[in-house]
Structures are given as C-alpha cells and as structure tokens.
Amino acid sequence: MPHEDLNVAVLTRHGYQELELWFPLLRYREVGAQTHLVGREAVEHLGGVGYPAIPDQIVGEGPVPAVLIVPGRAPGADPAGTELTAAERDLLHAVRAASTPPASL
C-alpha cells in the first residue's frame, strides 16, 4: 500500500506516554501517510512530562483509519480518564471490523 493512501490515527488523552505517541506519529508523517491526532475533545492534552498534544480530530468524527495507535499512560499519570469512552471503543471495533488490527505500544 502506498504510504500516501495510508490513514493513521493516534489516540491522545491527558497523561499519554510521549514516546509512544510522538515517535510513531512522526515516523508515519515522515513516510507521507495521512496522520491525525484523535482525542475526546479538541483541547490540549499534556503527556507525562508535560509535552502538549492538540487533537486535530475528535473520536468518531473522521473516517475509520487503516492504522490506530493507542499510546499507553505515563508512569504516575492521573488515573482519571484511563477507561476508554464509548466512542473510543466504537472506533476500536470499527478498525477491527475493517480487518486492520490496532497497534498498541
């Protein structure tokens, strides 16, 4: 599959683990894939060491991605919001139904 046709979504939320979000996102951008930071709401999310990520897409509002990356939580991150929302679970199920396995680090 040409990388320009590859749709990649990276889920972001407060307390995300920076390397698990930024490394794959930047590598996919480097090879020309269509990438999106997807969040529960369009607000700044701070990672475990304070690096900001601002979603450019809200969960459930865009197309089903070919690749879905779900970064882990930073050690010591606030446990509030660790559970997936219904929209995030729906996105995971949609990716799985499209026969494209989600990526998890």
Side-chain angles (χ1 to χ4, degrees):
M1 172 183 289
H3 295 297
E4 296 81 23
D5 297 332
L6 189 61
N7 185 8
V8 178
V10 181
L11 192 63
T12 183
R13 49 198 169 145
H14 296 294
Y16 70 88
Q17 209 296 328
E18 276 89 347
L19 287 177
E20 292 180 8
L21 182 143
W22 289 106
F23 184 78
L25 179 72
L26 294 174
R27 292 292 291 147
Y28 275 113
R29 285 181 178 171
E30 183 179 37
V31 297
Q34 300 172 36
T35 59
H36 296 282
L37 268 176
V38 180
R40 296 174 180 176
E41 53 188 340
V43 298
E44 180 177 81
H45 296 100
L46 297 178
V49 295
Y51 199 77
I54 301 171
D56 57 56
Q57 191 173 2
I58 303 300
V59 174
E61 291 186 359
V64 175
V67 177
L68 177 62
I69 299 169
V70 183
R73 305 279 292 169
D78 182 7
T82 57
E83 295 295 321
L84 294 177
T85 64
E88 290 167 334
R89 284 192 304 273
D90 290 345
L91 179 60
L92 281 169
H93 292 303
V95 169
R96 210 172 268 177
S99 300
T100 55
S104 178
L105 300 174

